[in-house]
Amino acid sequence: MKSDDLPRGIDRRALVSNLVLLPALSTTLLSSPAQAQTAPTVPLASWNDGPAKQAIIDFVHATTDQGSPKFVPAEDRIATFDQDGTLWVEHPIYSQVMYCLDRVPDVVAAKPELKNVEPFKTVMSGDREAIAKLSLPALEKILVATLTGMPVETFEANVEKWLATAKHPRWKRPYTDLTFQPMQEVLQYLRDNGFKTYIVTGGGQDFVRVYSKRVYGIPPEQVVGTMGGTKFGYDKDGKPFLTKEPKLLLNDDKAGKPEGIHLMIGRRPHAAFGNSDGDREMLEYTGAGDGARLKMLVLHDDGQREYAYGPAQDLPASKVGTFTPELYGEAKKRAWTVISMKNDWKRIFAFD
Amino acid sequence: MKSDDLPRGIDRRALVSNLVLLPALSTTLLSSPAQAQTAPTVPLASWNDGPAKQAIIDFVHATTDQGSPKFVPAEDRIATFDQDGTLWVEHPIYSQVMYCLDRVPDVVAAKPELKNVEPFKTVMSGDREAIAKLSLPALEKILVATLTGMPVETFEANVEKWLATAKHPRWKRPYTDLTFQPMQEVLQYLRDNGFKTYIVTGGGQDFVRVYSKRVYGIPPEQVVGTMGGTKFGYDKDGKPFLTKEPKLLLNDDKAGKPEGIHLMIGRRPHAAFGNSDGDREMLEYTGAGDGARLKMLVLHDDGQREYAYGPAQDLPASKVGTFTPELYGEAKKRAWTVISMKNDWKRIFAFD
């Protein structure tokens, strides 16, 4: 069977092997939910002057100045953003996978017969090394058990509850605090110039929608993600409701990203931002349009303030968020703009 | 196999039996494309005073007055509209099916070997009685051949070309002229009050998107319809493009309507408009939310100015757009508002 909100961008084996790096699964410290970022008065205030910042500004001028030969009417201004590694931290593991593992105790409490059934038994043991060795099918069982089989409202409430308490192991802050401030400023700058901003993520569409408005200022209908089916039915009082089904409709990763964009938006973006091989086809598709098209890749080359991986190679190439040498080569060849976190960003997080 | 943009609301057998009523398949008279309707200065100017008009006005006041206990923040104001029979004429047949039949000569010209293969042979014969007798699988073959297997841009260009020339047999006007002026005014009135208006149709999502902005003021991303998959690939020059695939992702009819709404919008509408059994679940789902929820059904009871069918019964019950006695009963029981075209609408079309 196929899992519902399974984030496909993942090299799943790498992902599983990274689980061993994780702290205890359930973070129980209370914390207030992250607040939406407010727009700075100066656009792109957290960006250093340089080719990346200039590329964004030039693109906005070219597409919004009435006299520009590359002017784009406001209604056609679409910008798409990958999430994990592009808008927020993806190390040491996608937060949605963390959510799924953290949900296992509740799943087992509701169905005690699972306590001695794998892979739930292993997750419940808290043995991080054993958890890290779980096979891909085992991991998919966990995703299906925690992402499907409940009313959509129940799922949303579970995610909200988790977001309010879970903390990132390195910064000891809610995951929703770990968005990149310079990218928040790009979202705001584009919106201030009439662009409709979309998240286009390999993560679960329903998962990201829970916090997209609060965290990024992006409403649920502007989140394109890996899509699972729902099933309409009635409760015992005849009240209709939707249940999340373990049925994969679209894997919103790699070629699935332009396919998801067509399905959900119906036209080609003028700007696209990514950070890994999972975003390659989205950038190619964006670049194949006429006129001004902005294509940007975030390079994680700042091991001090965040992480260094991919071409920066401080971390092994098998880690999540694979920015391969091939992608780097294509970016150079097609003149996509590579954003150096180390050199282009004055600060990484709002709390810096 | 499943067809892609197959409009599922249809009682297909009834549909096929109605084909005999059609004029010659290809309408070749040139005509200018329909223009977007302009908003009247007085809201709902084409509506007679009465419970239907009042229900719309009361709903807007309840949801938009800051002091109202049922106030809804602007970002949550979602309104969904069925298309066929709700926003425009659906008789004698859905215009998308007409499009598919009209496309057959071009399909056969491109693949001459189909000339003697059924069901293409029958359609090419122009024998309307024989066309009307085509089986459901035969009809699906036609839909697949005309709606899939080409780049999305080619499909869009084909639909544009057809819309510019095809005419409705009764009014001898482009199909896009045959939108209901009172419903155009509802769309505009809701938008003027901060609502985001969506089409939620059993018709093909890609088909309706071609003209939704021009005809209804609704951008492509606000069209939820029966969804087919696309496939990302590269042409011989390495340029990426999307091909429409004969793969059904979601049948946006009946239970598929709330499922499609969840997939594409991610939250429950505050207002929903329909006209047939295909819209029942969408209205139920809308009505199950808290606060003010507007549920309306268009009753086709005006055989003089448009058509009378369903509970009005001037036409047999087997016709398209089935407003069954059961739906009528549920509308009464749940206090959904039934719009009488005859009594509630001063005029039907902008050209009246």
Side-chain angles (χ1 to χ4, degrees):
Chain A
M1 67 133 306
K2 299 295 182 108
S3 64
D4 175 10
D5 282 19
L6 188 65
R8 238 240 312 202
I10 316 182
D11 175 339
R12 287 194 190 72
R13 279 163 221 290
L15 180 155
V16 171
S17 74
N18 288 336
L19 288 174
V20 74
L21 304 173
L22 292 174
L25 287 179
S26 289
T27 321
T28 49
L29 290 172
L30 281 166
S31 74
S32 60
Q35 298 303 309
Q37 309 295 328
T38 46
T41 22
V42 179
L44 308 180
S46 301
W47 289 72
N48 289 316
D49 290 334
K53 181 179 179 180
Q54 200 57 47
I56 300 166
I57 293 170
D58 289 348
F59 167 78
V60 167
H61 288 170
T63 53
T64 62
D65 288 351
Q66 291 272 359
S68 161
K70 294 177 175 177
F71 176 78
V72 175
E75 65 192 36
D76 292 330
R77 292 180 201 157
I78 303 286
T80 57
F81 294 79
D82 169 57
Q83 181 189 229
D84 295 303
T86 300
L87 293 179
W88 75 358
V89 173
E90 64 184 349
H91 268 284
I93 199 164
Y94 297 121
S95 44
Q96 186 180 348
V97 176
M98 201 64 225
Y99 167 79
C100 294
L101 293 170
D102 277 349
R103 282 291 307 158
V104 167
D106 279 2
V107 168
V108 170
K111 290 187 186 173
E113 67 274 19
L114 291 178
K115 208 168 83 180
N116 295 311
V117 175
E118 290 297 356
F120 304 97
K121 188 178 172 185
T122 295
V123 177
M124 291 301 288
S125 75
D127 177 347
R128 280 181 279 146
E129 203 146 339
I131 294 169
K133 285 182 185 154
L134 286 173
S135 68
L136 177 57
L139 193 64
E140 288 193 343
K141 271 183 196 162
I142 292 164
L143 300 191
V144 169
T146 54
L147 298 174
T148 73
M150 73 287 285
V152 296
E153 288 83 1
T154 304
F155 173 74
E156 289 163 5
N158 288 344
V159 175
E160 286 282 16
K161 191 176 144 201
W162 180 82
L163 288 172
T165 55
K167 304 226 171 193
H168 189 280
R170 175 166 163 189
W171 287 277
K172 319 289 184 207
R173 286 175 169 273
Y175 289 92
T176 49
D177 276 8
L178 299 178
T179 66
F180 303 136
Q181 176 60 21
M183 294 305 292
Q184 291 275 10
E185 293 168 8
V186 174
L187 288 169
Q188 191 60 51
Y189 180 53
L190 288 174
R191 286 197 292 260
D192 288 346
N193 282 281
F195 280 84
K196 217 164 171 174
T197 54
Y198 282 82
I199 291 172
V200 178
T201 175
Q205 184 165 285
D206 284 351
F207 183 84
V208 179
R209 278 172 164 176
V210 173
Y211 56 83
S212 62
K213 179 72 184 170
R214 174 167 56 86
V215 172
Y216 301 112
I218 293 177
E221 63 270 25
Q222 285 164 228
V223 175
V224 182
T226 291
M227 303 168 201
T230 57
K231 194 172 167 60
F232 179 87
Y234 304 90
D235 70 13
K236 59 180 168 47
D237 302 319
K239 189 176 169 177
F241 71 104
L242 293 169
T243 303
K244 284 176 67 66
E245 293 281 290
K247 180 189 170 190
L248 183 70
L249 294 183
L250 189 134
N251 240 327
D252 196 58
D253 192 49
K254 299 187 188 286
K257 289 208 173 189
E259 293 165 7
I261 288 169
H262 178 74
L263 182 67
M264 297 288 291
I265 314 177
R267 45 217 164 118
R268 195 190 304 268
H270 274 82
F273 297 76
N275 79 304
S276 82
D277 280 15
D279 305 311
R280 191 171 68 109
E281 288 84 350
M282 175 169 73
L283 268 66
E284 290 174 345
Y285 181 65
T286 301
D290 294 335
R293 307 276 168 171
L294 183 63
K295 293 85 58 185
M296 301 193 87
L297 286 169
V298 175
L299 176 65
H300 292 258
D301 58 357
D302 195 333
Q304 293 253 296
R305 296 187 298 173
E306 202 244 10
Y307 296 100
Y309 53 101
Q313 287 186 339
D314 288 13
L315 293 180
S318 66
K319 295 277 166 179
V320 297
T322 46
F323 191 144
T324 58
E326 290 70 30
L327 179 64
Y328 200 74
E330 180 167 354
K332 290 292 158 200
K333 184 182 138 203
R334 295 186 186 267
W336 296 347
T337 305
V338 174
I339 300 165
S340 161
M341 293 179 75
K342 192 171 177 178
N343 301 318
D344 287 316
W345 290 358
K346 281 184 193 159
R347 57 176 183 165
I348 308 285
F349 303 112
F351 56 79
D352 275 348
Chain B
M1 67 135 303
K2 300 291 182 113
S3 65
D4 175 12
D5 283 18
L6 189 64
R8 239 246 307 207
I10 315 182
D11 175 340
R12 287 194 190 73
R13 279 164 222 290
L15 179 156
V16 171
S17 74
N18 288 337
L19 288 174
V20 73
L21 305 173
L22 293 174
L25 288 178
S26 291
T27 323
T28 49
L29 290 173
L30 281 166
S31 73
S32 60
Q35 298 304 309
Q37 309 295 327
T38 46
T41 22
V42 180
L44 309 179
S46 301
W47 289 72
N48 289 315
D49 290 334
K53 180 179 178 179
Q54 199 57 48
I56 300 167
I57 292 171
D58 289 348
F59 167 78
V60 167
H61 287 171
T63 53
T64 62
D65 287 352
Q66 290 271 1
S68 161
K70 294 178 176 176
F71 176 77
V72 175
E75 64 192 35
D76 292 329
R77 293 180 199 157
I78 303 285
T80 56
F81 294 79
D82 168 59
Q83 182 189 232
D84 295 302
T86 299
L87 292 179
W88 74 357
V89 172
E90 65 184 349
H91 267 283
I93 199 164
Y94 296 121
S95 44
Q96 186 180 349
V97 176
M98 199 66 224
Y99 167 78
C100 294
L101 293 170
D102 278 348
R103 283 291 307 160
V104 168
D106 279 1
V107 167
V108 170
K111 291 187 185 173
E113 67 274 21
L114 292 178
K115 208 168 84 178
N116 295 311
V117 175
E118 288 300 353
F120 305 97
K121 188 177 171 184
T122 295
V123 177
M124 291 300 289
S125 75
D127 177 346
R128 280 181 279 146
E129 201 145 339
I131 293 168
K133 285 180 186 155
L134 287 174
S135 69
L136 177 56
L139 193 63
E140 287 193 345
K141 272 184 196 163
I142 292 164
L143 299 192
V144 169
T146 54
L147 297 174
T148 73
M150 73 288 285
V152 295
E153 288 82 2
T154 304
F155 173 74
E156 289 163 7
N158 288 343
V159 175
E160 285 283 16
K161 191 177 143 199
W162 181 81
L163 289 172
T165 55
K167 304 226 168 192
H168 190 280
R170 175 165 162 189
W171 287 278
K172 319 289 182 206
R173 286 176 169 272
Y175 289 93
T176 50
D177 276 7
L178 299 178
T179 66
F180 303 137
Q181 177 59 22
M183 294 305 292
Q184 292 275 10
E185 294 168 6
V186 174
L187 288 170
Q188 191 60 52
Y189 179 54
L190 289 173
R191 286 197 291 260
D192 288 346
N193 283 281
F195 280 85
K196 218 164 170 175
T197 54
Y198 282 82
I199 292 172
V200 177
T201 175
Q205 184 164 284
D206 284 351
F207 183 83
V208 178
R209 279 173 164 177
V210 174
Y211 56 83
S212 61
K213 180 71 185 171
R214 174 166 56 86
V215 173
Y216 301 114
I218 293 176
E221 63 270 25
Q222 285 165 227
V223 175
V224 181
T226 292
M227 303 166 203
T230 57
K231 193 172 170 56
F232 180 86
Y234 303 90
D235 69 13
K236 59 181 169 46
D237 302 319
K239 189 177 169 176
F241 71 105
L242 294 168
T243 302
K244 284 175 69 65
E245 293 282 289
K247 180 188 170 190
L248 183 69
L249 294 183
L250 189 136
N251 241 327
D252 197 57
D253 192 50
K254 300 185 187 289
K257 288 207 172 190
E259 292 165 7
I261 287 168
H262 178 75
L263 181 68
M264 298 288 291
I265 313 178
R267 46 221 165 115
R268 196 190 301 270
H270 275 82
F273 297 76
N275 80 302
S276 82
D277 279 17
D279 304 311
R280 192 171 68 110
E281 288 83 352
M282 174 169 73
L283 268 65
E284 289 174 346
Y285 181 65
T286 300
D290 294 334
R293 306 278 167 170
L294 183 64
K295 292 85 59 184
M296 302 194 85
L297 287 169
V298 174
L299 176 64
H300 292 258
D301 59 355
D302 194 333
Q304 292 252 298
R305 295 188 299 173
E306 202 246 8
Y307 297 100
Y309 54 100
Q313 288 186 342
D314 288 14
L315 294 180
S318 67
K319 294 279 168 180
V320 297
T322 46
F323 192 146
T324 58
E326 290 70 30
L327 179 65
Y328 199 76
E330 181 167 352
K332 291 290 158 202
K333 184 182 139 205
R334 296 186 187 267
W336 295 346
T337 306
V338 174
I339 300 165
S340 161
M341 293 179 75
K342 192 171 176 177
N343 301 319
D344 287 316
W345 289 358
K346 281 185 193 158
R347 56 176 183 164
I348 308 286
F349 304 110
F351 56 79
D352 274 350

